[in-house]
Coordinates of all heavy atoms in Angstrom, one line a residue:
M13 N 3.0 2.0 19.9 CA 4.0 2.3 19.0 C 3.7 3.6 18.4 O 2.5 3.9 17.9 CB 4.0 1.2 17.9 CG 4.8 1.6 16.7 SD 5.0 0.3 15.4 CE 3.4 -0.2 15.0
S14 N 4.6 4.5 18.3 CA 4.4 5.8 17.7 C 4.7 5.6 16.2 O 5.6 4.8 15.8 CB 5.3 6.9 18.3 OG 6.6 6.6 18.0
V15 N 4.1 6.4 15.4 CA 4.3 6.4 13.9 C 5.1 7.5 13.5 O 4.9 8.7 13.9 CB 2.9 6.5 13.2 CG1 3.1 6.5 11.7 CG2 2.1 5.3 13.5
S16 N 6.1 7.3 12.7 CA 7.0 8.3 12.2 C 6.3 9.4 11.5 O 5.3 9.1 10.8 CB 8.1 7.6 11.3 OG 8.8 8.6 10.6
T17 N 6.7 10.6 11.6 CA 6.1 11.7 10.9 C 6.6 11.8 9.5 O 6.0 12.6 8.7 CB 6.3 13.1 11.6 OG1 7.7 13.2 11.8 CG2 5.7 13.0 13.0
I18 N 7.6 11.1 9.1 CA 8.1 11.1 7.7 C 7.2 10.2 6.9 O 7.2 9.0 7.1 CB 9.6 10.7 7.7 CG1 10.5 11.6 8.5 CG2 10.0 10.6 6.2 CD1 11.9 11.1 8.6
Y19 N 6.5 10.8 6.0 CA 5.5 10.1 5.2 C 5.3 10.7 3.9 O 5.1 11.9 3.8 CB 4.2 10.0 6.0 CG 3.0 9.6 5.1 CD1 2.9 8.3 4.7 CD2 2.1 10.6 4.7 CE1 1.8 8.0 3.8 CE2 1.1 10.3 3.8 CZ 0.9 9.0 3.4 OH -0.1 8.6 2.6
S20 N 5.3 9.9 2.8 CA 4.9 10.4 1.5 C 4.2 9.2 0.8 O 4.6 8.1 0.8 CB 6.2 10.7 0.6 OG 6.8 11.8 1.1
P21 N 3.0 9.5 0.3 CA 2.3 8.5 -0.4 C 3.1 7.9 -1.6 O 4.0 8.7 -2.1 CB 1.0 9.2 -0.9 CG 0.9 10.4 -0.2 CD 2.3 10.8 0.2
V22 N 2.9 6.7 -2.0 CA 3.6 6.1 -3.1 C 2.7 6.3 -4.3 O 1.5 5.9 -4.3 CB 3.9 4.6 -2.8 CG1 4.4 4.0 -4.1 CG2 4.9 4.5 -1.7
S23 N 3.2 6.8 -5.4 CA 2.5 7.0 -6.6 C 3.3 6.2 -7.7 O 4.5 6.4 -7.8 CB 2.4 8.4 -7.1 OG 1.6 9.1 -6.2
A24 N 2.6 5.4 -8.4 CA 3.3 4.6 -9.5 C 2.3 4.4 -10.6 O 1.2 4.8 -10.5 CB 3.7 3.2 -8.9
T25 N 2.8 3.8 -11.7 CA 2.0 3.5 -12.9 C 2.1 2.1 -13.2 O 3.2 1.5 -13.2 CB 2.5 4.4 -14.1 OG1 2.5 5.8 -13.7 CG2 1.6 4.1 -15.3
G26 N 0.9 1.4 -13.4 CA 0.9 0.0 -13.7 C 1.5 -0.2 -15.1 O 1.4 0.7 -15.9
N27 N 2.0 -1.4 -15.3 CA 2.5 -1.8 -16.7 C 1.9 -3.1 -17.2 O 2.3 -3.6 -18.2 CB 4.0 -1.8 -16.7 CG 4.6 -2.9 -15.9 OD1 3.9 -3.7 -15.3 ND2 5.9 -2.9 -15.9
G28 N 1.0 -3.7 -16.4 CA 0.4 -5.0 -16.8 C 1.2 -6.2 -16.4 O 0.8 -7.3 -16.6
E29 N 2.4 -5.9 -15.8 CA 3.3 -7.1 -15.4 C 3.7 -7.0 -14.0 O 3.7 -8.1 -13.3 CB 4.5 -7.0 -16.3 CG 4.2 -7.3 -17.8 CD 5.5 -7.2 -18.6 OE1 6.6 -7.3 -18.1 OE2 5.4 -7.0 -19.8
I30 N 4.0 -5.9 -13.4 CA 4.4 -5.8 -12.1 C 3.3 -5.9 -11.1 O 2.3 -5.2 -11.2 CB 5.2 -4.5 -11.8 CG1 6.5 -4.5 -12.7 CG2 5.6 -4.3 -10.4 CD1 7.2 -3.2 -12.7
T31 N 3.4 -6.8 -10.1 CA 2.4 -7.0 -9.1 C 2.8 -6.4 -7.7 O 1.9 -6.2 -6.9 CB 2.0 -8.4 -8.9 OG1 3.2 -9.2 -8.6 CG2 1.4 -9.0 -10.2
N32 N 4.1 -6.2 -7.5 CA 4.6 -5.8 -6.2 C 4.9 -4.3 -6.2 O 5.7 -3.8 -7.0 CB 5.8 -6.6 -5.8 CG 5.5 -8.0 -5.5 OD1 4.4 -8.5 -5.8 ND2 6.5 -8.8 -5.0
F33 N 4.4 -3.6 -5.2 CA 4.7 -2.1 -5.0 C 5.0 -1.9 -3.6 O 4.2 -2.2 -2.7 CB 3.5 -1.3 -5.4 CG 3.1 -1.4 -6.9 CD1 2.4 -2.4 -7.4 CD2 3.6 -0.4 -7.8 CE1 2.1 -2.5 -8.8 CE2 3.3 -0.5 -9.1 CZ 2.5 -1.5 -9.6
S34 N 6.2 -1.4 -3.3 CA 6.7 -1.2 -1.9 C 6.6 0.2 -1.4 O 6.6 1.1 -2.2 CB 8.2 -1.6 -1.9 OG 8.3 -3.0 -2.2
F35 N 6.5 0.3 -0.1 CA 6.5 1.6 0.5 C 7.4 1.6 1.7 O 7.6 0.5 2.3 CB 5.0 2.1 0.9 CG 4.3 1.2 1.8 CD1 4.4 1.3 3.2 CD2 3.5 0.1 1.3 CE1 3.7 0.5 4.1 CE2 2.8 -0.7 2.2 CZ 2.9 -0.6 3.5
N36 N 7.9 2.7 2.2 CA 8.9 2.7 3.3 C 8.5 3.6 4.4 O 9.3 4.3 5.0 CB 10.3 3.1 2.7 CG 10.3 4.5 2.1 OD1 9.3 5.1 2.0 ND2 11.5 4.9 1.8
W37 N 7.2 3.6 4.8 CA 6.8 4.4 5.9 C 6.1 3.5 6.9 O 5.5 2.4 6.5 CB 5.9 5.6 5.5 CG 5.0 5.4 4.3 CD1 5.3 5.8 3.1 CD2 3.7 4.7 4.3 NE1 4.2 5.5 2.2 CE2 3.3 4.8 2.9 CE3 2.9 4.1 5.2 CZ2 2.1 4.3 2.5 CZ3 1.7 3.5 4.8 CH2 1.3 3.6 3.5
Q38 N 6.1 3.9 8.2 CA 5.6 3.0 9.3 C 4.1 3.2 9.4 O 3.5 4.3 9.1 CB 6.3 3.5 10.5 CG 6.0 2.6 11.7 CD 6.9 3.0 12.9 OE1 7.6 4.0 12.9 NE2 6.8 2.2 13.9
F39 N 3.4 2.1 9.8 CA 2.0 2.2 10.1 C 1.7 1.3 11.3 O 2.4 0.4 11.7 CB 1.2 1.7 8.8 CG 1.6 0.3 8.4 CD1 0.8 -0.8 8.7 CD2 2.7 0.1 7.6 CE1 1.1 -2.1 8.3 CE2 3.1 -1.2 7.2 CZ 2.3 -2.3 7.6
Q40 N 0.5 1.6 11.9 CA 0.2 0.9 13.1 C -0.7 -0.3 12.9 O -0.6 -1.3 13.6 CB -0.5 1.8 14.1 CG 0.4 2.9 14.7 CD -0.3 3.7 15.7 OE1 -1.4 3.5 16.1 NE2 0.5 4.7 16.2
S41 N -1.6 -0.2 11.9 CA -2.4 -1.4 11.5 C -2.6 -1.4 10.0 O -2.5 -0.4 9.3 CB -3.8 -1.3 12.2 OG -4.6 -0.3 11.6
V42 N -3.0 -2.6 9.5 CA -3.2 -2.8 8.1 C -4.3 -1.9 7.6 O -4.4 -1.6 6.4 CB -3.3 -4.3 7.7 CG1 -2.0 -5.0 8.0 CG2 -4.5 -4.9 8.4
Q43 N -5.3 -1.6 8.5 CA -6.4 -0.8 8.1 C -6.0 0.7 7.7 O -6.7 1.4 7.0 CB -7.5 -0.7 9.2 CG -8.2 -2.0 9.3 CD -7.4 -3.1 10.1 OE1 -6.5 -2.8 10.8 NE2 -7.8 -4.4 9.8
E44 N -4.8 1.1 8.1 CA -4.3 2.4 7.8 C -3.8 2.5 6.4 O -3.7 3.6 5.8 CB -3.2 2.9 8.7 CG -3.7 3.1 10.1 CD -2.5 3.6 11.0 OE1 -1.4 3.5 10.6 OE2 -2.8 4.0 12.1
V45 N -3.4 1.4 5.8 CA -2.8 1.3 4.5 C -4.0 1.2 3.4 O -4.7 0.3 3.4 CB -1.8 0.1 4.3 CG1 -1.3 0.1 2.9 CG2 -0.7 0.2 5.4
K46 N -4.1 2.2 2.6 CA -5.1 2.3 1.6 C -4.5 2.2 0.2 O -3.5 2.9 0.0 CB -6.0 3.6 1.7 CG -6.6 3.7 3.1 CD -7.6 2.6 3.4 CE -8.3 2.9 4.7 NZ -9.1 1.8 5.1
V47 N -5.0 1.4 -0.7 CA -4.5 1.3 -2.0 C -5.5 1.6 -3.0 O -6.7 1.2 -3.0 CB -4.0 -0.2 -2.2 CG1 -3.5 -0.4 -3.6 CG2 -3.0 -0.6 -1.2
Y48 N -5.2 2.5 -4.0 CA -6.1 3.0 -5.0 C -5.5 2.7 -6.4 O -4.3 2.9 -6.6 CB -6.3 4.5 -4.9 CG -6.9 4.9 -3.6 CD1 -6.2 5.2 -2.5 CD2 -8.3 5.1 -3.5 CE1 -6.8 5.6 -1.3 CE2 -8.9 5.5 -2.3 CZ -8.1 5.7 -1.2 OH -8.7 6.1 0.0
V49 N -6.4 2.2 -7.3 CA -6.0 2.1 -8.7 C -6.9 2.9 -9.5 O -8.2 2.7 -9.4 CB -6.1 0.6 -9.1 CG1 -5.8 0.5 -10.6 CG2 -5.1 -0.3 -8.4
D50 N -6.4 3.9 -10.2 CA -7.2 4.9 -10.9 C -8.3 5.5 -10.0 O -9.5 5.5 -10.3 CB -7.8 4.4 -12.2 CG -6.8 4.5 -13.3 OD1 -5.7 5.1 -13.2 OD2 -7.1 3.9 -14.4
D51 N -7.9 5.9 -8.8 CA -8.8 6.5 -7.7 C -9.9 5.6 -7.2 O -10.8 6.0 -6.5 CB -9.4 7.8 -8.3 CG -8.4 8.8 -8.6 OD1 -7.4 9.0 -7.8 OD2 -8.6 9.5 -9.6
V52 N -9.8 4.3 -7.5 CA -10.7 3.3 -6.9 C -10.1 2.5 -5.8 O -9.0 1.9 -6.0 CB -11.2 2.3 -8.0 CG1 -12.2 1.2 -7.4 CG2 -11.9 3.1 -9.1
L53 N -10.7 2.6 -4.6 CA -10.1 1.9 -3.4 C -10.1 0.4 -3.7 O -11.2 -0.2 -4.0 CB -10.9 2.3 -2.2 CG -10.5 1.6 -0.9 CD1 -9.1 2.1 -0.5 CD2 -11.4 2.0 0.3
Q54 N -9.0 -0.2 -3.4 CA -8.9 -1.7 -3.6 C -9.2 -2.4 -2.3 O -9.0 -1.8 -1.2 CB -7.5 -2.0 -4.1 CG -7.1 -1.3 -5.4 CD -8.0 -1.7 -6.5 OE1 -8.0 -2.9 -7.0 NE2 -8.8 -0.8 -7.0
V55 N -9.5 -3.6 -2.3 CA -9.9 -4.4 -1.1 C -8.8 -5.3 -0.7 O -8.4 -6.2 -1.5 CB -11.2 -5.2 -1.4 CG1 -11.6 -6.0 -0.2 CG2 -12.4 -4.2 -1.9
L56 N -8.4 -5.2 0.5 CA -7.4 -6.0 1.1 C -7.8 -7.5 1.1 O -9.0 -7.8 1.4 CB -7.0 -5.6 2.5 CG -6.0 -6.4 3.3 CD1 -4.6 -6.3 2.7 CD2 -5.9 -5.9 4.8
N57 N -6.9 -8.4 0.8 CA -7.2 -9.8 0.7 C -8.1 -10.2 -0.4 O -8.6 -11.4 -0.4 CB -7.6 -10.4 2.1 CG -6.5 -10.2 3.1 OD1 -5.3 -10.3 2.8 ND2 -6.9 -9.9 4.3
Q58 N -8.5 -9.3 -1.2 CA -9.3 -9.6 -2.4 C -8.6 -9.1 -3.7 O -8.3 -9.9 -4.6 CB -10.7 -8.9 -2.3 CG -11.5 -9.2 -3.6 CD -12.9 -8.5 -3.4 OE1 -13.5 -8.5 -2.4 NE2 -13.4 -7.9 -4.5
D59 N -8.2 -7.8 -3.7 CA -7.5 -7.3 -4.8 C -6.0 -7.3 -4.6 O -5.2 -7.3 -5.6 CB -7.9 -5.8 -5.0 CG -9.4 -5.6 -5.3 OD1 -9.9 -6.4 -6.1 OD2 -10.0 -4.8 -4.7
Y60 N -5.6 -7.3 -3.3 CA -4.1 -7.3 -3.0 C -3.9 -7.9 -1.6 O -4.9 -8.0 -0.8 CB -3.6 -5.9 -3.1 CG -4.0 -5.0 -1.9 CD1 -3.3 -4.8 -0.8 CD2 -5.2 -4.3 -2.0 CE1 -3.7 -4.0 0.2 CE2 -5.7 -3.5 -1.0 CZ -4.9 -3.4 0.1 OH -5.3 -2.6 1.2
T61 N -2.7 -8.3 -1.3 CA -2.3 -8.7 0.0 C -1.2 -7.7 0.5 O -0.6 -7.0 -0.4 CB -1.7 -10.1 0.1 OG1 -0.6 -10.2 -0.8 CG2 -2.8 -11.1 -0.2
L62 N -1.0 -7.6 1.7 CA 0.0 -6.7 2.3 C 1.1 -7.5 3.0 O 0.7 -8.3 3.9 CB -0.7 -5.7 3.2 CG 0.1 -4.6 3.8 CD1 0.7 -3.7 2.7 CD2 -0.7 -3.7 4.7
V63 N 2.3 -7.4 2.6 CA 3.4 -8.1 3.3 C 4.3 -7.1 4.0 O 4.6 -6.0 3.4 CB 4.3 -8.8 2.2 CG1 5.4 -9.6 2.8 CG2 3.4 -9.8 1.4
Y64 N 4.6 -7.4 5.3 CA 5.3 -6.4 6.1 C 6.0 -7.1 7.3 O 5.5 -8.2 7.7 CB 4.4 -5.3 6.6 CG 3.2 -5.9 7.4 CD1 3.2 -6.1 8.7 CD2 2.0 -6.2 6.7 CE1 2.1 -6.6 9.4 CE2 0.9 -6.8 7.4 CZ 1.0 -7.0 8.7 OH -0.1 -7.5 9.4
P65 N 7.0 -6.5 7.8 CA 7.7 -7.1 9.0 C 6.8 -6.9 10.3 O 5.9 -6.0 10.3 CB 9.0 -6.4 9.1 CG 8.7 -5.1 8.5 CD 7.7 -5.3 7.4
D66 N 7.1 -7.5 11.3 CA 6.4 -7.4 12.6 C 6.4 -5.9 13.1 O 5.4 -5.5 13.7 CB 7.0 -8.3 13.7 CG 6.7 -9.7 13.4 OD1 5.7 -10.0 12.7 OD2 7.4 -10.6 14.0
N67 N 7.5 -5.2 12.9 CA 7.5 -3.8 13.4 C 6.8 -2.8 12.5 O 6.7 -1.6 12.8 CB 9.0 -3.4 13.6 CG 9.8 -3.3 12.3 OD1 9.2 -3.5 11.2 ND2 11.1 -3.2 12.4
R68 N 6.2 -3.2 11.4 CA 5.5 -2.4 10.4 C 6.2 -1.1 10.1 O 5.5 -0.1 10.0 CB 4.1 -2.1 11.1 CG 3.3 -3.3 11.3 CD 1.9 -2.9 11.8 NE 1.2 -4.1 12.3 CZ 0.8 -4.2 13.6 NH1 0.8 -3.2 14.4 NH2 0.2 -5.3 14.0
K69 N 7.4 -1.2 9.8 CA 8.2 0.0 9.4 C 8.2 0.2 7.8 O 8.6 1.2 7.4 CB 9.6 -0.1 9.9 CG 9.7 0.1 11.4 CD 11.1 0.4 11.8 CE 11.0 0.7 13.3 NZ 12.3 1.2 13.8
Y70 N 7.7 -0.8 7.1 CA 7.6 -0.7 5.6 C 6.7 -1.8 5.2 O 6.3 -2.7 6.0 CB 9.0 -0.7 5.0 CG 9.8 -2.0 5.3 CD1 9.6 -3.2 4.6 CD2 10.7 -2.0 6.4 CE1 10.3 -4.3 4.9 CE2 11.4 -3.1 6.7 CZ 11.2 -4.3 6.0 OH 11.9 -5.4 6.3
G71 N 6.4 -1.9 3.9 CA 5.6 -3.0 3.4 C 5.6 -3.1 1.9 O 6.2 -2.2 1.2
T72 N 5.0 -4.1 1.4 CA 4.8 -4.3 0.0 C 3.4 -4.7 -0.3 O 2.8 -5.6 0.4 CB 5.7 -5.4 -0.5 OG1 7.1 -5.1 -0.2 CG2 5.6 -5.7 -2.0
V73 N 2.8 -4.0 -1.2 CA 1.4 -4.4 -1.7 C 1.6 -5.3 -2.8 O 2.4 -5.1 -3.8 CB 0.7 -3.1 -2.2 CG1 -0.6 -3.5 -2.9 CG2 0.4 -2.2 -1.0
V74 N 1.0 -6.5 -2.8 CA 1.1 -7.5 -3.8 C -0.3 -7.7 -4.4 O -1.2 -8.3 -3.8 CB 1.6 -8.9 -3.2 CG1 1.8 -9.9 -4.3 CG2 3.0 -8.6 -2.5
F75 N -0.4 -7.2 -5.6 CA -1.7 -7.3 -6.3 C -2.0 -8.8 -6.8 O -1.1 -9.5 -7.2 CB -1.8 -6.4 -7.5 CG -2.0 -5.0 -7.2 CD1 -0.9 -4.1 -7.1 CD2 -3.2 -4.4 -6.9 CE1 -1.0 -2.8 -6.7 CE2 -3.4 -3.1 -6.6 CZ -2.3 -2.3 -6.5
T76 N -3.3 -9.1 -6.7 CA -3.7 -10.4 -7.2 C -3.5 -10.5 -8.7 O -3.0 -11.5 -9.3 CB -5.2 -10.7 -6.9 OG1 -5.3 -10.5 -5.5 CG2 -5.6 -12.1 -7.3
V77 N -3.8 -9.4 -9.4 CA -3.6 -9.3 -10.9 C -2.8 -8.0 -11.1 O -3.2 -6.9 -10.5 CB -4.9 -9.2 -11.6 CG1 -4.7 -8.9 -13.1 CG2 -5.7 -10.5 -11.4
A78 N -1.8 -8.0 -11.9 CA -1.0 -6.8 -12.1 C -1.9 -5.6 -12.6 O -2.7 -5.9 -13.5 CB 0.1 -7.1 -13.1
P79 N -1.7 -4.4 -12.1 CA -2.5 -3.3 -12.6 C -2.2 -3.1 -14.1 O -1.0 -3.2 -14.5 CB -2.0 -2.1 -11.8 CG -1.5 -2.7 -10.5 CD -0.9 -4.1 -10.9
S80 N -3.2 -2.7 -14.8 CA -3.0 -2.6 -16.3 C -2.0 -1.5 -16.7 O -1.8 -0.6 -15.9 CB -4.4 -2.2 -16.9 OG -5.3 -3.3 -16.7
D81 N -1.6 -1.5 -17.9 CA -0.6 -0.6 -18.4 C -1.2 0.8 -18.3 O -2.3 1.1 -18.8 CB -0.2 -0.9 -19.8 CG 0.9 -0.1 -20.4 OD1 1.8 0.3 -19.6 OD2 0.9 0.2 -21.6
G82 N -0.5 1.8 -17.7 CA -0.9 3.2 -17.7 C -1.8 3.6 -16.6 O -2.1 4.8 -16.4
V83 N -2.3 2.6 -15.8 CA -3.2 3.0 -14.6 C -2.4 3.6 -13.5 O -1.2 3.2 -13.3 CB -4.1 1.9 -14.1 CG1 -5.0 1.4 -15.3 CG2 -3.3 0.8 -13.5
S84 N -3.0 4.5 -12.7 CA -2.4 5.1 -11.6 C -2.5 4.2 -10.4 O -3.6 3.7 -10.1 CB -3.0 6.4 -11.3 OG -2.7 6.9 -10.0
V85 N -1.4 3.9 -9.6 CA -1.4 3.2 -8.4 C -0.9 4.1 -7.3 O 0.1 4.7 -7.4 CB -0.5 1.9 -8.5 CG1 -0.4 1.2 -7.2 CG2 -0.9 1.0 -9.6
V86 N -1.8 4.2 -6.2 CA -1.4 5.1 -5.1 C -1.6 4.3 -3.8 O -2.6 3.7 -3.6 CB -2.2 6.4 -5.1 CG1 -1.9 7.2 -3.9 CG2 -2.1 7.2 -6.4
I87 N -0.5 4.3 -3.0 CA -0.6 3.7 -1.7 C -0.5 4.8 -0.6 O 0.5 5.6 -0.7 CB 0.6 2.7 -1.5 CG1 0.5 1.7 -2.7 CG2 0.5 2.0 -0.2 CD1 1.8 0.8 -2.8
K88 N -1.4 4.9 0.2 CA -1.5 6.0 1.2 C -1.6 5.4 2.6 O -2.1 4.3 2.8 CB -2.7 6.8 1.0 CG -2.8 7.6 -0.3 CD -4.0 8.4 -0.3 CE -4.1 9.2 -1.6 NZ -5.4 10.1 -1.6
R89 N -1.2 6.2 3.6 CA -1.5 5.9 5.0 C -2.6 6.9 5.4 O -2.5 8.1 5.4 CB -0.3 6.1 5.9 CG -0.5 5.8 7.3 CD 0.7 5.9 8.2 NE 1.1 7.3 8.3 CZ 2.3 7.7 8.7 NH1 3.3 6.9 8.9 NH2 2.6 9.0 8.8
E90 N -3.7 6.3 5.9 CA -4.9 7.1 6.3 C -5.1 6.7 7.8 O -5.6 5.6 8.1 CB -6.1 6.9 5.5 CG -5.9 7.3 4.0 CD -7.1 7.1 3.1 OE1 -8.2 6.6 3.6 OE2 -7.0 7.4 1.9
T91 N -4.8 7.7 8.7 CA -5.0 7.4 10.1 C -6.2 8.2 10.6 O -6.7 9.1 10.0 CB -3.8 8.0 10.9 OG1 -3.6 9.3 10.7 CG2 -2.5 7.2 10.5
A92 N -6.8 7.7 11.7 CA -8.0 8.3 12.3 C -7.7 9.6 12.9 O -6.6 10.0 13.2 CB -8.5 7.3 13.4

């Protein structure tokens, strides 16, 4: 599967309530999706889960605990 060249990281701000953050770019494996809260890399299946369709054209990061009010949330695609 080729990955689309249209890509922009998602930047958001936590509010202490929202746990779901969506992105709309394609990825080949879940290891390519990196999630940072205040520049700290989060751990898949510990800090968050990743929900996506079989074709991996978009996804949603679902945090175990909502990021605190005012913290930076960044979702990136990091390929080899």
Side-chain angles (χ1 to χ4, degrees):
M13 167 176 56
S14 66
V15 175
S16 169
T17 58
I18 300 172
Y19 161 75
S20 291
V22 172
S23 295
T25 303
N27 68 1
E29 296 178 19
I30 295 174
T31 56
N32 295 8
F33 294 82
S34 296
F35 59 90
N36 62 353
W37 33 261
Q38 191 171 4
F39 57 100
Q40 291 185 3
S41 73
V42 296
Q43 288 76 26
E44 291 181 350
V45 179
K46 303 297 183 185
V47 180
Y48 297 86
V49 173
D50 274 352
D51 296 322
V52 176
L53 180 62
Q54 302 299 290
V55 178
L56 178 64
N57 296 324
Q58 178 179 319
D59 301 315
Y60 71 96
T61 56
L62 188 57
V63 179
Y64 55 91
D66 289 339
N67 62 9
R68 297 185 194 122
K69 289 193 176 192
Y70 58 86
T72 301
V73 170
V74 181
F75 285 97
T76 306
V77 176
S80 299
D81 189 34
V83 301
S84 167
V85 176
V86 177
I87 305 168
K88 296 181 179 181
R89 181 175 71 199
E90 296 180 3
T91 58

